[in-house]
Structure formats: C-alpha cells, structure tokens
Amino acid sequence: LEREHDLGAAALVVALVAVTACGEDPPPASDTDACMQLEMGPYTQLSATTSRDVSTPTVADDGNAYTVTLTGSGFGYVKIDATAGRYVFYLDRGLMVNALEGAGTPATASSATSSDACTTIKGRHEVTLGAGAVYLGLMSDGGAPVNLVVAAP
C-alpha cells in the first residue's frame, strides 16, 4: 500500500510539472484592463497639438480611454504628468509613438504591435519615465482618431 501511495504521488508530481511546463503565462492584468477600456470606454475626446506646451491636452491613468484626434501630418502630442515609474500606452491602431521627457529628451521604450489579451490592442508601448511632464507623440497616419489608454504603476 505504501508503494502504491509513493507511485501515485510521483505520478501527480510528473503530471503537475508537465502541465506547468506546457501552460502559457496569462497576459498582464493591465493588458486585460486596457482591452476593456479600448473596447467599452468611457471615452474622453481630445485633440493632439503640434507643439509641446501649456496647450497640450493631458491624459492620465484614470480608467478612461482617450479618443485622440491627430494632427494632419507628423506627430501630435498629448501630455502626462508622470510620477517616476513604468508606464504602458495602449493604442487601437499601430502608430509610431515617442515619449519625450523634460526638455525633449526621448525616453527609451519597448514596443509591441499586439497583446495576447485581445485583438483590439494594435500598439503596446512600455516605457520607464521620470517624474514630471512627459509629452507623448503620436504619428498621424491620416486616419480617424485613435483610442489611447494609459496604465501606470
């Protein structure tokens, strides 16, 4: 009986290891939340500016999706008043994005064109920001407005 118990326990351990090794990691919770926000809102309408100044509209990690009307060509800017930490910017279209800190210093970002959480995410841009005003540039593609979600620490 003891030998059967040992064999049963060993088989269970092998099965658990096999299941764990074959399983995929779920997408980050922020990706799942961004999917819901991009698909269902609530939406805040705003227009990007061609300059980075006091007239640039502000976005935040506030549970909203921002519907951003872009400029005719080039980069259109929105601003985030960042606390130091990692941010993820989600878009429902694949646009070029840049994040400029302080006096225009580019922040290093890693980008992906999708997420395993849903097909709505067409751009996922992860960047570590310092504290202060950061201007997020969205390259116009001549299309309709783009939806943006901000996830912060």
Side-chain angles (χ1 to χ4, degrees):
L1 183 61
E2 193 172 313
R3 180 165 157 59
E4 288 177 17
H5 176 71
D6 289 343
L7 288 174
L12 178 60
V13 168
V14 169
L16 287 174
V17 168
V19 167
T20 303
C22 293
E24 292 184 22
D25 290 334
S30 61
D31 285 20
T32 304
D33 292 344
C35 288
M36 287 192 318
Q37 292 166 341
L38 286 171
E39 292 170 358
M40 298 184 291
Y43 300 99
T44 300
Q45 309 283 327
L46 53 86
S47 293
T49 60
T50 56
S51 58
R52 300 182 310 267
D53 56 30
V54 295
S55 67
T56 305
T58 301
V59 297
D61 174 23
D62 58 5
N64 285 318
Y66 294 90
T67 301
V68 182
T69 300
L70 300 173
T71 58
S73 63
F75 282 102
Y77 292 94
V78 295
K79 180 177 74 169
I80 181 164
D81 293 319
T83 56
R86 182 183 67 84
Y87 285 77
V88 183
F89 301 103
Y90 298 94
L91 300 171
D92 66 354
R93 277 211 328 272
L95 301 177
M96 183 186 303
V97 173
N98 70 15
L100 302 173
E101 296 184 276
T105 306
T108 303
S110 64
S111 298
T113 56
S114 65
S115 168
D116 290 338
C118 67
T119 58
T120 304
I121 295 174
K122 304 292 188 216
R124 184 185 188 280
H125 307 275
E126 188 170 333
V127 61
T128 300
L129 301 174
V134 175
Y135 293 93
L136 186 66
L138 306 171
M139 177 61 87
S140 179
D141 62 359
V146 63
N147 289 316
L148 163 71
V149 169
V150 178

